[in-house]
Amino acid sequence: MSGILVLAEHDGGAFKKSATELIGKASELAAALGTQVSAAVVGDAPAASLGAAGAGKVYQVQGDHSSYDAAAMASAWKAIVDAASPDVILASASYVGKDALPRLVALLNTGMGSEVTELRAEGGAVIGRRPLYAGKLYADVQISSSPAVFSVRPNSFPQPGAGSGEAEVVTVSAGAQALTTVVETLQPTSTTADLTEAERIVSGGRALKSAENFDNVIRPLAAAVGATVGASRAAVDAGYASHSEQVGQTGKTVNPTLYIAAGISGAIQHLAGMRTSKVIVAINKDPEAPIFEHATYGIVDDLFEVCPRLTKAFEEL
Amino acid sequence: MKIGICAKVTADTDARLSPSADGGSFEFSGKSVVGPYDMFAVEEAVQTKEKHGGDTVVFTVGAESDVLSQLRGSVLALGVDKAVIVEDPALANADALGVARALAKAIEAEGVDLVFCGKQAIDDDNVQVPAMIAGLLGWAQVSRVTAFAVDGTSFTATRAMDGGIKQVVSGNLPVLITAERGLNTPRYAKLPAIMKAKKKPTERRDLAALGLSAEAVAPKVSTSAYGSPPERPSGKIIEGDTDTVVAELVRLLREEAKVL
Ligand SMILES: Cc1cc2nc3c(=O)[nH]c(=O)nc-3n(C[C@H](O)[C@H](O)[C@H](O)COP(=O)(O)OP(=O)(O)OC[C@H]3O[C@@H](n4cnc5c(N)ncnc54)[C@H](O)[C@@H]3O)c2cc1C
Ligand SMILES: Nc1ncnc2c1ncn2[C@@H]1O[C@H](COP(=O)(O)O)[C@@H](O)[C@H]1O
């Protein structure tokens, strides 16, 4: 085996949590397979620092790549893959991992398993396990061509312990041109973590009854526990929350360690977006609400009574 | 301008899925639909045609007997002019790259220079085929688009990225766009249009007609061990008055679940 290559994403030079998460998982797989872990970095970021997470070598295409284009990213990665010739590629199932990664897979004429939540080494190969049909079904995926490419849902694996040591950095040149130009970037109004990467999420549903209640009950609860705000489609359609906050099949797929659902019934399309959350808390006054079948902890009560008290209790922690 | 749409007929979101006892396969019961994101793609293609003129053609890889009535009722009846159905025994078990290769060839053969896809299919949830088509054709691509406009040979698209960030990007045709919810509001088919759709041309192509061999679409991805989602240990309902349950929840989150 010539190793596992992690495509490490960064935001203006700061590596995303997914980068170290994937290097940690790759190290575990590499130990089982008797191979090495390297990383790929496109753009200006402190590549050598990935050594602390467990990457031996880092292949870097330098230069300003902050203006993202799928074609340019895929060909920069392609140049790195040609230099590193890995057997396995791991990347985050982020926007870029859903946009540029399949394009890379087409350029490499190989196969890809999308959004896996588990990875294991078996018989000298890496096998991924992934949800399909919005999480109603799970299956193993194995790639018969090389490199085997997997995108991984963020927060699927623990962060590696912080090590020390610098990775050896190999500079790779890539000549491809971007096919699109970024005209404008519109920042979101909120400053909390993105839903898809958030460790904690507080979501509100139709039961909130108004945007004002949503703002006065759900947002303070989320703020008190450092969570990102989510919403059901019913809440979004009614205008209580914005579409970018929708969790579910036609919204975001999330994977936090803590998901609090207040006044959400737990429709299959909502569950599709959050069922892999590690701990689910449901607050609903209907004891028959399907969300309770999926909750780690359930509170059968009026959310307008529970949430303000819970906000206070979190603030006092 | 010639505008293409890639649309997949899939199981509806409320379909029941039952994995076989050995996990080697699964069955679904429920109805089939054109994927919901593909419907945004259809609407955008029709609106673009209404503004700028041109021809619209929908491409699908699938068995004609499974997909034709949905394509007529949900795509041709909304104003798309023609359907190209790629069907071949070698595509029966195709993976995303095999499907993308077939679609890319069909798109090329039709001389299309603007393609709309859904952001994802709701059965395999792969999010692979559109970017693969763009890669194979060497086209520009913009994913998860919530606003789109074309002017002559240039386009502008707004994409919804991670973290609630939106970006406006521009470029030149040819381009492949994937549709995010919010791009538009799909129209409903009216009866006269449904009747008219019955007479619209549908063409069937096999791999040979596209100049592809069976090897070119041989799958590299194998899927096995189908199963239901991992059961979570059944939850705990916390009993008591409101103050008690709130205090107990916080204790459990800290001491039992260790997430605070
Ligand atoms: C193709 C398709 C895609 C979809 N995609 C999504 C998606 O991405 N995300 C999504 O969320 N949905 C999606 N849906 C919609 C989904 O089917 C449900 O309609 C939706 O999730 C319901 O939202 P809700 O739970 O907020 O509302 P409801 O189902 O109305 O539930 C409200 C809940 O609040 C409880 N309640 C009321 N008052 C109180 C109170 N004072 N205190 C405590 N509890 C209270 C009620 O008991 C009830 O259980 C989709 C549907 C379709 C057909
Ligand atoms: N068999 C197919 N026929 C036509 N279009 C498809 C097919 N499979 C996928 N697509 C297109 O690619 C998008 C993403 O699909 P997927 O990569 O499977 O998630 C879909 O929304 C369709 O636009």
Side-chain angles (χ1 to χ4, degrees), chain A residues 232-252:
Chain A
S232 72
R233 174 155 162 193
V236 170
D237 286 349
Y240 311 162
S242 71
H243 175 242
S244 63
E245 293 174 320
Q246 182 177 317
V247 172
Q249 179 164 332
T250 44
K252 301 272 163 62

Side-chain angles (χ1 to χ4, degrees), chain A residues 68 95 99 103 109 114 133-134 136 138 140 142 144 181 183-184 186 194 249-250 277 297-298 301 309, chain B residues 13 15 37 101 123 125-126 128 139 141 143 159 162-163 166 168 220 224 227 232 236 238 242-243 256:
Chain A
Y68 166 73
Y95 183 86
D99 187 41
R103 189 173 178 119
N109 191 25
S114 292
Y133 287 88
K136 286 196 274 184
Y138 272 70
D140 281 352
Q142 191 166 358
S144 60
T181 316
V183 180
E184 194 185 355
L186 310 159
D194 176 39
Q249 179 164 332
T250 44
S277 305
Y297 304 117
D301 202 344
R309 285 180 174 79
Chain B
T13 54
Y37 296 103
R101 225 181 263 294
D123 51 357
D125 291 342
N126 265 337
Q128 294 189 15
W139 287 16
Q141 70 184 66
S143 296
R159 61 184 172 198
D162 295 334
K166 288 202 165 187
V168 184
K220 302 174 175 75
S224 60
R232 38 175 78 242
K236 195 183 276 186
I238 308 171
T242 308
D243 287 315
E256 190 179 83

Side-chain angles (χ1 to χ4, degrees), chain A residues 135-155:
Chain A
K136 286 196 274 184
L137 206 60
Y138 272 70
D140 281 352
V141 274
Q142 191 166 358
I143 314 297
S144 60
S145 50
S146 182
V149 180
F150 296 96
S151 70
V152 178
R153 184 175 288 185
N155 296 338

